[in-house]
Amino acid sequence: MDIVTLFAFAGVSFVGIATPGPTVLLALTNGSRYGTRRAIAGMVGAVLSDFVLIGAVAIGLGALLAASEFWFSVLKYAGAAYLAFLGIMMLRSKGTIDTTVNAEAAGGAGSTFAIGLKSFTVAVTNPKGYLFFSAFLPQFIDPSLPQPVQYAVLAVIFASLDFAIMFAYAIFGSQAVRLLKNSGAMWLDRISGGALIALAGSLAFYRRATT
């Protein structure tokens, strides 16, 4: 693939990822609640979802969602419901900073698996992600070259940028809460929870493009 094309893809991807979305908000919240190290589990979950979404687009699932109102709606409402659930949980949070390993050992909401699964689920149940990649990725694909390799290269670039940006948000969250203590964690949960509920509402009313 042409190096100029790859740099253009990386630049556009950076802007898109850095704009706060559900997984970025979760990285911020996870950093404030559990610290940067444990927040990495959520980043890994989000990165895995990147590969799932791009792989799905490569095999045509994005086109299916664009064409099928039924399956688009199923995924849309499932994603909106899950985002709303997470937002409500954050609004009800006491804002306690958990820097111990007890939650992880107990296998609860603060376990490594739960943190990673939460971010993964948020991303793969968002139909806007499939439609976005369906419209975005072909702009950088050369039809004269093997497409699976090109999709793989773009997936690695996007996932790397996604991880780096989420890592920065998690660091910001952990440092901000250290300065503000538990009251800061509570307000960060309130803000992130409200934002997730707003995103859930926007997703629920989102309409796929029709011709």
Side-chain angles (χ1 to χ4, degrees), residues 22 72-84 122-123 125-129 131 196-208:
F72 176 85
S73 296
V74 167
L75 195 60
K76 178 181 73 170
Y77 289 120
Y82 189 64
L83 278 178
V122 163
T125 57
N126 186 349
K128 294 170 70 174
L131 299 185
L196 287 179
I197 291 175
L199 288 172
S202 69
L203 180 58
F205 290 101
Y206 183 77
R207 295 283 186 267
R208 67 189 178 92

Side-chain angles (χ1 to χ4, degrees), residues 171-183:
I171 291 175
F172 175 77
S174 65
Q175 296 301 319
V177 166
R178 287 181 182 178
L179 294 175
L180 298 174
K181 304 302 180 183
N182 280 341
S183 61

Side-chain angles (χ1 to χ4, degrees), residues 28-100:
L28 179 68
T29 304
N30 288 337
S32 67
R33 283 185 173 183
Y34 312 116
T36 305
R37 183 178 64 84
R38 287 175 61 194
I40 289 176
M43 303 173 208
V44 171
V47 164
L48 288 176
S49 73
D50 291 337
F51 286 104
V52 170
L53 264 64
I54 293 175
V57 168
I59 63 176
L61 182 56
L64 172 64
L65 290 176
S68 172
E69 180 69 32
F70 174 76
W71 289 113
F72 176 85
S73 296
V74 167
L75 195 60
K76 178 181 73 170
Y77 289 120
Y82 189 64
L83 278 178
F85 168 76
L86 293 178
I88 292 170
M89 290 299 100
M90 288 183 184
L91 289 178
R92 296 179 60 187
S93 169
K94 302 299 183 182
T96 302
I97 304 171
D98 180 9
T99 57
T100 69

Side-chain angles (χ1 to χ4, degrees), residues 121-153:
T121 304
V122 163
V124 297
T125 57
N126 186 349
K128 294 170 70 174
Y130 297 93
L131 299 185
F132 167 75
F133 281 123
S134 293
F136 178 53
L137 294 179
Q139 311 301 320
F140 302 91
I141 295 293
D142 186 342
S144 66
L145 298 175
Q147 294 194 16
V149 175
Q150 295 182 77
Y151 276 108
V153 171

